[in-house]
Amino acid sequence: KAGVTQTPRYLIKTRGQQVTLSCSPISGHRSVSWYQQTPGQGLQFLFEYFSETQRNKGNFPGRFSGRQFSNSRSEMNVSTLELGDSALYLCASSLSTSGGGELFFGEGSRLTVL
Amino acid sequence: GENVEQHPSTLSVQEGDSAVIKCTYSDSASNYFPWYKQELGKRPQLIIDIRSNVGEKKDQRIAVTLNKTAKHFSLHITETQPEDSAVYFCAASGSGGSNYKLTFGKGTLLTVNP
């Protein structure tokens, strides 16, 4: 069974640009979460989607948005990039429908903002 | 919202010794407490989890204890081996809408010296 796939793996952007990251969950997993990982802050929750609905959102500005498609694939978008947005963005899928289940992480998309 | 504190931030032990990592959480409604291991350059992976109706759980050399009254939980690794070297993250998730969100501690870098 294929794992969680994230694309692109690496990308470099400049301040003010926008970026879209993609995540394909494990087949059969309908819950997809996104996390931002930075050296100083660890893993910070961005949002979680289930059946195309956002069920929870973290404390990030409105520049961070996401969506989920009917095939459970998910995208997140960051607009008007800032230097502080440089991070590893991890997507995770879960078989659990009610929360509190194992998260299977992708390898991440490493974003560098210059 | 939930806040998870993790200590220590770094831990160095000799091979064969035990290692203990401690976490505290703030939301008394939290009911699911997983631990993830992230090796250098790899994705986080679940190593053990515990739910609020259980006080202790073991899996070979790894154990987790939960004290709901004090709102803290700990990871215990016995007979440490060099391959245990990694960053360990504790996390907590709550009930209702918070059930779909994991709040992570900032991580503990464990180094096992041969």
Side-chain angles (χ1 to χ4, degrees):
Chain A
K1 191 182 245 188
V4 177
T5 304
Q6 291 188 246
T7 56
R9 291 289 316 282
Y10 302 91
L11 64 166
I12 299 174
K13 295 285 187 178
T14 56
R15 278 180 297 174
Q17 288 187 310
Q18 74 163 11
V19 65
T20 299
L21 309 178
S22 179
C23 172
S24 293
I26 292 172
S27 177
H29 289 195
R30 293 159 62 191
S31 169
V32 174
S33 304
W34 288 88
Y35 289 83
Q36 181 193 66
Q37 184 171 26
T38 56
Q41 297 300 315
L43 288 134
Q44 292 189 288
F45 174 78
L46 283 155
F47 21 68
E48 189 266 355
Y49 289 89
F50 181 84
S51 291
E52 303 179 68
T53 299
Q54 185 184 90
R55 298 195 294 189
N56 208 327
K57 188 179 191 314
N59 297 323
F60 280 82
R63 301 184 296 108
F64 291 80
S65 63
R67 59 178 174 170
Q68 186 181 34
F69 302 95
S70 59
N71 61 358
S72 295
R73 191 177 70 83
S74 177
E75 288 181 347
M76 69 163 281
N77 183 276
V78 188
S79 62
T80 319
L81 285 166
E82 300 178 358
L83 295 178
D85 297 334
S86 294
L88 181 66
Y89 290 88
L90 289 164
C91 166
S93 71
S94 175
L95 193 57
S96 172
T97 58
S98 58
E102 180 175 2
L103 296 183
F104 294 85
F105 285 90
E107 293 185 287
S109 292
R110 185 166 295 282
L111 171 65
T112 302
V113 182
L114 302 177
Chain B
E2 175 69 276
N3 183 49
V4 177
E5 299 280 343
Q6 182 172 348
H7 299 280
S9 56
T10 61
L11 179 59
S12 181
V13 300
Q14 290 298 122
E15 183 177 356
D17 287 350
S18 295
V20 180
I21 303 170
K22 300 181 179 181
C23 290
T24 60
Y25 60 97
S26 61
D27 187 353
S28 56
S30 289
N31 55 20
Y32 175 65
F33 307 92
W35 288 86
Y36 283 80
K37 174 183 179 183
Q38 186 175 31
E39 297 177 9
L40 186 63
K42 303 280 185 65
R43 67 192 80 188
Q45 291 188 297
L46 179 72
I47 55 171
I48 196 168
D49 57 11
I50 192 168
R51 298 188 186 272
S52 58
N53 58 347
V54 176
E56 183 175 3
K57 184 176 179 181
K58 288 183 180 180
D59 183 2
Q60 298 182 353
R61 297 186 296 107
I62 293 173
V64 58
T65 58
L66 171 64
N67 183 325
K68 286 170 53 181
T69 303
K71 291 191 284 187
H72 68 69
F73 55 114
S74 301
L75 177 71
H76 305 253
I77 306 174
T78 58
E79 301 172 15
T80 53
Q81 301 167 4
E83 51 265 39
D84 294 328
S85 296
V87 178
Y88 291 81
F89 293 97
C90 63
S93 74
S95 57
S98 296
N99 212 27
Y100 315 127
K101 164 186 176 179
L102 270 183
T103 300
F104 284 86
K106 293 188 177 181
T108 296
L109 174 61
L110 172 64
T111 303
V112 180
N113 302 298

